[in-house]
Amino acid sequence: FQGIDLAGKRVLDVGAWNGGFTAEAARRGAAHVTAVDHVTWNSPGANGRLSFDIVVQALGIPATAVDIDMDAPGLSLAGLGQFDVVLFLGVFYHLQDPLAALREVARATKEVLVVETYVDRTLDPRPLMMFYPGEELVGDASNWWGPSEACVVALLRMLGFTRVSVVAGSYP
């Protein structure tokens, strides 16, 4: 989310894990950060919530932690309110129902939504999404989907975002 002014903004960090992006948002002047996670905060080996709490407390970050399963049936983020900037980083492809989650984060976004996701490279220009029911995607059974770049852009436009910028990541 380089180049996005966070000074005085309300930020929602979906998939907060250990609080790295929550801390960065606070460092860049966010007025308040709400961090959402479930899987890593409740996974026995991940220690995500413990790490998050240590980071927030050690740095004195004005953050609220909310445990929400982004794959829960009937998902709603309405109770959290709206946010100037929403970070949806590294979550989309891990969800069994990523469209419901994307719809909810879009509703929570007032100004800027940053989506970081795995993207399947394809020669087909149509918006496509590949389903990975097992460990086919880099040997990780928690990776369910590989959308094409055209698919991600089309989904964001469908949800009302008129300006969509694509920035290539560093992972091959």
Side-chain angles (χ1 to χ4, degrees), residues 6-120:
L6 300 180
K9 305 284 184 169
R10 284 179 32 94
V11 175
L12 176 63
D13 180 8
V14 178
W17 193 322
N18 62 9
F21 291 109
T22 299
E24 178 61 12
R27 187 189 72 75
R28 290 173 49 186
H32 187 82
V33 183
T34 298
V36 169
D37 207 309
H38 176 75
V39 174
T40 61
W41 286 357
N42 293 283
S43 178
N47 289 324
R49 181 56 192 260
L50 175 62
S51 299
F52 178 87
D53 290 341
I54 290 170
V55 166
V56 168
Q57 187 174 39
L59 298 177
I61 295 171
T64 302
V66 184
D67 189 326
I68 296 176
D69 182 353
M70 296 299 291
D71 244 345
L75 172 68
S76 174
L77 299 179
L80 300 178
Q82 285 205 303
F83 298 83
D84 303 304
V85 178
V86 176
L87 307 175
F88 190 52
L89 311 175
V91 176
F92 184 91
Y93 52 97
H94 288 295
L95 299 172
Q96 290 180 14
D97 189 359
L99 302 185
L102 186 60
R103 188 176 303 112
E104 283 302 304
V105 296
R107 287 180 183 148
T109 305
K110 286 171 54 178
E111 296 176 17
V112 177
L113 170 61
V114 180
V115 178
E116 183 279 327
T117 187
Y118 168 81
V119 173
D120 260 341

Side-chain angles (χ1 to χ4, degrees), residues 126-146:
R126 296 176 298 170
L128 306 169
M129 195 153 67
M130 182 67 73
F131 176 60
Y132 295 102
E135 296 181 358
E136 300 90 351
L137 184 55
V138 298
D140 185 345
S142 76
N143 293 333
W144 292 97
W145 296 100

